[in-house]
Amino acid sequence: MRKESRVMKQCGLMFKGLNIDRNSVLHKTKLLLKIYRPVVWSTSNRVFEVCESAEMYCSRTMEEALEYLANYAPDNEQERFSERVKSLFETQWLILLIDNTMNKIYEYPDNGQLYHEILSKQYLTVYKYTEFEMLELLGLERSTYYDKKKEALDLFAICLWGYTIPSMRGLLGIGEESLEIPDFFQIINDPTNSRL
């Protein structure tokens, strides 16, 4: 059995300090990272469709078309268009969460740039690199690469669930009298953390 690295020990302490259940958020983090590429691809297609829908109303400028949709279009057209725009904003929120978290990773003082590059190339860029390409690009041995990838995922989970999501609540209109944060993004408290 391999000895746990210093970074993994630090991550464990951070999870405990933030009262976050490590296993649950790691599972959710991996799911988010796996869907990121298809979501971004889908969003780019939907943005084009929404713009096309808005512009098709009387071949007007975007501003005039949006005004028409808001004030004069039949309710069913307004509702369909509104749902598509809402979906885009929700997707944009997800992308913003990931981007802000990646910025925190990059700034991490111990190998932050390496972790950023691993996560970027493995999950976020348009092109998904193979294991061989990753090893070549990063100049790492296979076992070291997998250790660093595991550390990067732990750190990403901490930054996302412990810092980025809580800090963005006010910016996203999420508060006492407004929209609730979706259940998926709720922080899962660690039941074994007796401190709280």
Side-chain angles (χ1 to χ4, degrees), residues 19 30 32 39 64 75 88 95 101 135-136 145 157-158 189:
N19 193 32
K30 289 174 187 176
L32 280 175
V39 165
E64 289 170 335
D75 288 343
L88 283 175
I95 293 169
T101 303
L135 297 176
E136 285 287 310
Y145 166 70
I158 289 165
N189 292 330

Side-chain angles (χ1 to χ4, degrees), residues 105-156:
I105 297 287
Y106 191 84
E107 295 168 357
Y108 187 71
D110 190 13
N111 289 319
Q113 292 175 1
L114 175 63
Y115 297 141
H116 183 277
E117 192 167 358
I118 289 170
L119 293 168
S120 252
K121 287 181 172 33
Q122 189 66 53
Y123 299 104
L124 308 178
T125 58
V126 173
Y127 177 76
K128 184 177 179 183
Y129 292 83
T130 65
E131 177 185 310
F132 178 77
E133 290 169 324
M134 291 293 288
L135 297 176
E136 285 287 310
L137 283 168
L138 300 171
L140 298 174
E141 295 292 322
R142 188 172 189 271
S143 62
T144 304
Y145 166 70
Y146 281 101
D147 288 344
K148 295 298 178 195
K149 182 179 172 185
K150 186 175 181 177
E151 291 170 5
L153 285 168
D154 260 31
L155 190 58
F156 186 91

Side-chain angles (χ1 to χ4, degrees), residues 169-184:
R169 286 186 176 179
L171 298 174
L172 302 169
I174 297 168
E176 295 172 22
E177 295 183 24
S178 56
L179 298 173
E180 285 297 314
I181 193 165
D183 286 343
F184 183 85

Side-chain angles (χ1 to χ4, degrees), residues 19-35:
N19 193 32
I20 297 174
D21 181 46
R22 183 183 209 160
N23 293 330
S24 297
V25 296
L26 276 174
H27 176 72
K28 285 183 172 188
T29 298
K30 289 174 187 176
L31 288 174
L32 280 175
L33 289 171
K34 284 181 183 177
I35 66 164

Side-chain angles (χ1 to χ4, degrees), residues 5-196:
S5 74
R6 181 178 52 80
V7 172
M8 292 302 286
K9 287 178 186 175
Q10 288 173 339
C11 286
L13 292 173
M14 285 189 268
F15 278 118
K16 274 201 179 298
L18 292 166
N19 193 32
I20 297 174
D21 181 46
R22 183 183 209 160
N23 293 330
S24 297
V25 296
L26 276 174
H27 176 72
K28 285 183 172 188
T29 298
K30 289 174 187 176
L31 288 174
L32 280 175
L33 289 171
K34 284 181 183 177
I35 66 164
Y36 186 83
R37 275 189 190 98
V39 165
V40 171
W41 175 82
S42 171
T43 301
S44 64
N45 290 334
R46 287 193 327 231
V47 166
F48 179 73
E49 289 171 10
V50 168
C51 289
E52 212 172 54
S53 292
E55 289 174 349
M56 80 175 193
Y57 294 102
C58 306
S59 297
R60 301 166 188 220
T61 65
M62 178 67 82
E63 187 176 315
E64 289 170 335
L66 289 172
E67 185 177 332
Y68 165 78
L69 280 166
N71 298 318
Y72 308 109
D75 288 343
N76 63 343
E77 284 182 44
Q78 286 180 357
E79 194 171 310
R80 270 197 328 264
F81 185 77
S82 179
E83 284 301 315
R84 289 163 79 187
V85 170
K86 181 182 174 201
S87 173
L88 283 175
F89 278 108
E90 289 169 352
T91 303
Q92 182 60 33
W93 184 70
L94 171 65
I95 293 169
L96 187 61
L97 282 176
I98 301 291
D99 286 351
N100 286 349
T101 303
M102 288 298 287
N103 289 337
K104 282 195 99 39
I105 297 287
Y106 191 84
E107 295 168 357
Y108 187 71
D110 190 13
N111 289 319
Q113 292 175 1
L114 175 63
Y115 297 141
H116 183 277
E117 192 167 358
I118 289 170
L119 293 168
S120 252
K121 287 181 172 33
Q122 189 66 53
Y123 299 104
L124 308 178
T125 58
V126 173
Y127 177 76
K128 184 177 179 183
Y129 292 83
T130 65
E131 177 185 310
F132 178 77
E133 290 169 324
M134 291 293 288
L135 297 176
E136 285 287 310
L137 283 168
L138 300 171
L140 298 174
E141 295 292 322
R142 188 172 189 271
S143 62
T144 304
Y145 166 70
Y146 281 101
D147 288 344
K148 295 298 178 195
K149 182 179 172 185
K150 186 175 181 177
E151 291 170 5
L153 285 168
D154 260 31
L155 190 58
F156 186 91
I158 289 165
C159 290
L160 177 65
W161 303 98
Y163 301 109
T164 303
I165 291 172
S167 73
M168 292 182 74
R169 286 186 176 179
L171 298 174
L172 302 169
I174 297 168
E176 295 172 22
E177 295 183 24
S178 56
L179 298 173
E180 285 297 314
I181 193 165
D183 286 343
F184 183 85
F185 293 101
Q186 295 293 332
I187 296 172
I188 300 159
N189 292 330
D190 183 357
T192 64
N193 195 349
S194 58
R195 186 179 71 106
L196 298 172

